[in-house]
């Protein structure tokens, strides 16, 4: 995220570790969501996944689902580019969002090898 002041505000709101980063999604200049990520060795932690206007009280659909999916995939790409080979959430799976994308659910948290999301065709 280019604006470090805004990034620090979002990290504080998410109660994220100092070394975390925010990946922000915009559509035509309007901020539509963000994901808070943290690298720990070769593991990418998804600390928070947020589409603006979505409160989590119901299954995400339509544009909200698209935004959340795009943010998750952007986070995976960030992890892959920074040497991560595993993804884990720091929050429970919601409405089977991650299970539907190939993650394994254990103790309410979701995890998967990076290759589930980031694939190379040779």
């Amino acid at each position: 995220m280019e604006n470090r002041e805004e990034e620090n505000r979002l990290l504080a709101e998410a109660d994220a570790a100092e070394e975390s980063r925010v990946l922000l999604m915009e559509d035509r200049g309007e901020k539509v969501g963000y994901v808070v990520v943290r690298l720990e060795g070769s593991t990418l932690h998804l600390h928070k996944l947020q589409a603006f206007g979505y409160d989590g009280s119901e299954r995400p659909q339509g544009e909200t689902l698209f935004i959340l999916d795009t943010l998750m995939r952007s986070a995976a790409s960030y992890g892959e580019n920074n040497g991560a080979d595993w993804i884990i959430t720091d929050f429970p799976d919601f409405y089977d969002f991650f299970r539907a994308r190939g993650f394994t659910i254990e103790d309410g948290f979701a995890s998967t090898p990076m290759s589930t999301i980031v694939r190379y065709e040779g």
Side-chain angles (χ1 to χ4, degrees), residues 76 80 84-88 102-104 111-118:
E80 174 74 15
D85 58 14
W86 198 260
I87 307 169
I88 188 167
F103 284 66
T104 300
S111 64
T112 193
M114 189 64 68
S115 60
T116 302
I117 306 302
V118 180

Side-chain angles (χ1 to χ4, degrees), residues 2 6-7 10 30 37-38 41 56 62 74 82 86-87 106 122:
E2 291 179 14
E6 183 177 5
E7 181 175 39
L10 291 171
E30 177 185 345
V37 297
R38 176 177 49 87
S74 296
N82 285 282
W86 198 260
I87 307 169
E106 294 182 35

Side-chain angles (χ1 to χ4, degrees), residues 24-101:
L24 181 69
M25 183 176 173
E26 294 185 3
D27 182 24
R28 293 181 218 122
E30 177 185 345
K31 296 172 180 135
V32 296
Y34 68 97
V35 60
V36 176
V37 297
R38 176 177 49 87
L39 288 167
E40 188 175 298
S42 62
T43 301
L44 176 72
H45 287 259
L46 301 183
H47 183 73
K48 183 170 184 177
L49 184 64
Q50 180 67 53
F52 293 125
Y54 176 66
D55 66 6
S57 63
E58 57 188 38
R59 181 177 297 279
Q61 297 179 27
E63 185 176 348
T64 299
L65 183 61
F66 173 77
I67 291 167
L68 294 172
D69 186 73
T70 301
L71 286 166
M72 181 273 304
R73 293 176 188 284
S74 296
S77 180
Y78 172 86
E80 174 74 15
N81 288 335
N82 285 282
D85 58 14
W86 198 260
I87 307 169
I88 188 167
T89 64
D90 291 344
F91 51 89
D93 191 15
F94 54 95
Y95 299 103
D96 291 328
F97 176 83
F98 291 100
R99 182 185 313 272
R101 284 148 185 83

